[in-house]
């Protein structure tokens, strides 16, 4: 049994003394011990080497003692497994030299055998579970099909993913075929992660907010719903759509165990829009970690008071930034651990 099961209890909606806390991208770039590994190994070597991925995963737990670990990996291991070339260029980010824009491009995209193509992730989970020694739960994750499509079609990061949207609106049949292939791969991938030992999964819809509410339903949410339907009886699923406050009501009826909220949606609105009965996760502005530690602590306490300590997981509204001072990250975690309800 997991010694600190606060995160899992919050996902079930149980009454707790304080909410659990973890941070998106907590395993990574803001930590000096991560930077040491980064100097020696390139990005996908870190992802594909179980010993490295597991070490990076447990580094923040050792340093700060969050209530959950999230496996170090990347959402773009999915297109890699699907026969789409992905490079991670220094000071540039993801680069896909052969973007998917025609039927011919799509014909070369496969729904892979997960153990063959992504077995290294399952190995990393097993090694990580040994290192965690049942101290805290382990979260597995995947990108949403829409977010993966954005990279596959655009070929790189973008401020507006105009080429991805153009494909959806000029050739929706092709777009939906690609989205379905990504969805089928993602379901198999997350199911394999559950078998390997993760305690919950999160779907990151990082670019969902690029779509209008109507287009979101068509090109993103229906595919996330497929993933939730396939996984919810096997493990708790957290759905996080950045900029997708408009979909919180629909999301709340999905069978997800929790919904992520970004910093543009207040606690009050998030509770109202989601119907008040589902666990919410978020929503501290990552840039607010530049504030003085004393101010961070006050803001975190206020945030918990506004969301309420139950059915709530403290987190950032998106990933932690690379240049956040270590004591500021610590202040964020400590504020939650020291929380005393005023009510």
């Amino acid at each position: 049994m997991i010694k600190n099961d606060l995160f899992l209890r919050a996902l079930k909606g149980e009454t707790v003394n304080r909410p659990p806390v973890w941070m998106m991208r907590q395993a990574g770039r803001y930590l000096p011990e991560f930077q040491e590994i980064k100097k020696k190994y390139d990005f996908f070597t870190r992802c594909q080497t179980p010993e490295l991925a597991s070490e990076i995963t447990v580094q923040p737990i050792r340093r700060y003692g969050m209530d959950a670990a999230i496996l170090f990996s990347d959402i773009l291991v999915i297109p890699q497994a699907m026969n789409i070339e992905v490079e991670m260029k220094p000071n540039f980010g993801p680069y896909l030299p052969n973007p998917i824009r025609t039927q011919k491009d799509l014909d070369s995209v496969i729904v892979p055998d997960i153990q063959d193509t992504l077995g290294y992730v399952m190995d990393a989970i097993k090694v990580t579970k040994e290192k965690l020694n049942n101290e805290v739960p382990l979260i597995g994750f995947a990108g949403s099909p829409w977010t993966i499509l954005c990279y596959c079609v655009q070929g790189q990061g973008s401020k507006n993913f105009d080429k991805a949207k153009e494909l959806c609106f000029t050739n929706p049949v092709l777009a939906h075929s690609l989205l379905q292939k990504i969805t089928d791969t993602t379901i198999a991938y997350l199911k394999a992660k559950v078998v390997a030992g993760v305690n919950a999964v999160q779907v990151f819809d990082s670019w969902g907010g690029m779509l209008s509410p109507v287009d979101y339903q068509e090109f993103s949410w229906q595919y996330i719903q497929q993933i939730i339907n396939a996984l919810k009886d096997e493990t708790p699923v957290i759905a996080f759509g950045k900029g997708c406050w408009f979909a919180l009501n629909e999301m709340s009826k999905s069978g997800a165990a929790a919904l992520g909220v970004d910093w543009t949606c207040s606690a009050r609105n998030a509770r109202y829009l989601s119907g008040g009965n589902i666990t919410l996760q978020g929503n501290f502005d990552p840039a607010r970690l530049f504030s003085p530690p004393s101010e961070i602590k006050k803001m975190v306490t206020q945030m918990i008071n506004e969301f309420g300590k139950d059915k709530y997981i403290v987190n950032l509204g998106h990933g932690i930034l690379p240049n956040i001072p270590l004591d500021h990250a610590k202040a964020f975690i400590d504020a939650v651990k020291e929380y005393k309800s005023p009510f």
Side-chain angles (χ1 to χ4, degrees):
M1 293 299 291
I2 290 169
K3 296 177 190 117
N4 173 357
D5 64 351
L6 198 55
F7 171 73
L8 299 176
R9 287 171 59 208
L11 285 173
K12 287 179 189 156
E14 293 178 12
T15 302
V16 291
N17 291 328
R18 68 162 177 90
V21 59
W22 66 282
M23 294 190 293
M24 289 186 270
R25 286 216 166 141
Q26 68 187 22
R29 52 206 184 162
Y30 68 108
L31 290 173
E33 52 268 46
F34 171 83
Q35 291 298 334
E36 286 304 306
I37 293 175
K38 185 182 174 185
K39 282 179 200 162
K40 296 180 195 162
Y41 305 98
D42 71 55
F43 183 80
F44 282 116
T45 300
R46 282 173 261 146
C47 290
Q48 292 163 2
T49 310
E51 188 51 48
L52 294 177
S54 61
E55 172 59 24
I56 293 166
T57 301
V58 299
Q59 282 176 346
I61 308 302
R62 283 193 204 118
R63 185 183 273 274
Y64 298 118
M66 291 88 167
D67 296 306
I70 183 163
L71 187 74
F72 175 76
S73 186
D74 193 80
I75 63 172
L76 296 178
V77 299
I78 287 268
Q80 276 186 330
M82 297 175 70
N83 200 31
I84 301 170
E85 190 181 346
V86 182
E87 301 169 19
M88 197 61 73
K89 289 191 169 182
N91 307 315
F92 179 83
Y95 178 67
L96 291 75
N98 306 301
I100 309 302
R101 294 180 190 164
T102 66
Q103 185 60 47
K104 185 166 176 284
D105 297 334
L106 182 65
D107 290 342
S108 66
V109 176
I110 61 167
V111 175
D113 178 303
I114 296 299
Q115 294 303 335
D116 274 0
T117 53
L118 293 164
Y120 63 85
V121 178
M122 312 316 142
D123 294 340
I125 290 168
K126 286 164 189 157
V127 179
T128 304
K129 292 288 280 189
E130 284 170 24
K131 288 184 180 174
L132 288 173
N133 193 26
N134 287 329
E135 291 295 332
V136 293
L138 178 63
I139 305 165
F141 71 90
S144 74
W146 159 253
T147 289
I148 301 295
L149 173 140
C150 281
Y151 289 105
C152 292
V153 176
Q154 197 81 20
Q156 60 188 70
S158 168
K159 285 193 168 63
N160 58 13
F161 287 100
D162 53 339
K163 291 184 173 68
K165 291 174 84 169
E166 180 186 346
L167 179 81
C168 289
F169 303 153
T170 58
N171 195 343
V173 173
L174 184 70
H176 284 299
S177 298
L178 176 55
L179 285 163
Q180 194 58 55
K181 281 188 175 185
I182 297 167
T183 303
D184 294 344
T185 304
T186 302
I187 287 170
Y189 176 56
L190 290 176
K191 284 193 168 201
K193 281 188 170 181
V194 173
V195 171
V198 299
N199 304 101
V201 297
Q202 175 157 318
V203 179
F204 283 84
D205 196 8
S206 304
W207 306 124
M210 297 278 173
L211 294 165
S212 74
V214 172
D215 292 330
Y216 187 71
Q217 290 298 324
E218 181 178 352
F219 294 102
S220 185
W221 181 253
Q222 65 164 316
Y223 296 100
I224 297 174
Q225 183 68 68
Q226 282 186 43
I227 295 168
I228 295 168
N229 289 348
L231 269 294
K232 67 182 180 185
D233 293 336
E234 296 176 24
T235 198
V237 182
I238 304 168
F240 171 59
K242 185 170 178 283
C244 301
W245 59 269
F246 55 79
L248 282 172
N249 187 258
E250 176 99 7
M251 291 174 167
S252 70
K253 301 166 186 165
S254 64
L259 304 177
V261 184
D262 69 33
W263 64 93
T264 63
C265 185
S266 68
R268 185 179 173 186
N269 281 346
R271 285 284 181 215
Y272 172 73
L273 292 166
S274 63
N277 291 317
I278 192 166
T279 297
L280 296 178
Q281 175 179 279
N283 69 337
F284 202 78
D285 181 348
R288 265 292 175 184
L289 290 178
F290 289 117
S291 298
S294 59
E295 204 174 317
I296 291 169
K297 287 194 165 186
K298 278 186 202 146
M299 292 172 75
V300 169
T301 303
Q302 183 183 348
M303 180 172 74
I304 299 170
N305 289 342
E306 288 175 3
F307 274 99
K309 70 175 176 64
D310 295 327
K311 293 186 180 171
Y312 179 50
I313 297 161
V314 180
N315 206 319
L316 305 174
H318 203 223
I320 186 168
L321 299 165
N323 47 344
I324 295 296
L326 295 174
D327 57 334
H328 293 219
K330 184 176 190 300
F332 180 82
I333 302 296
D334 286 353
V336 187
K337 292 186 170 180
E338 294 159 7
Y339 180 76
K340 299 278 186 292
S341 174
F343 308 113

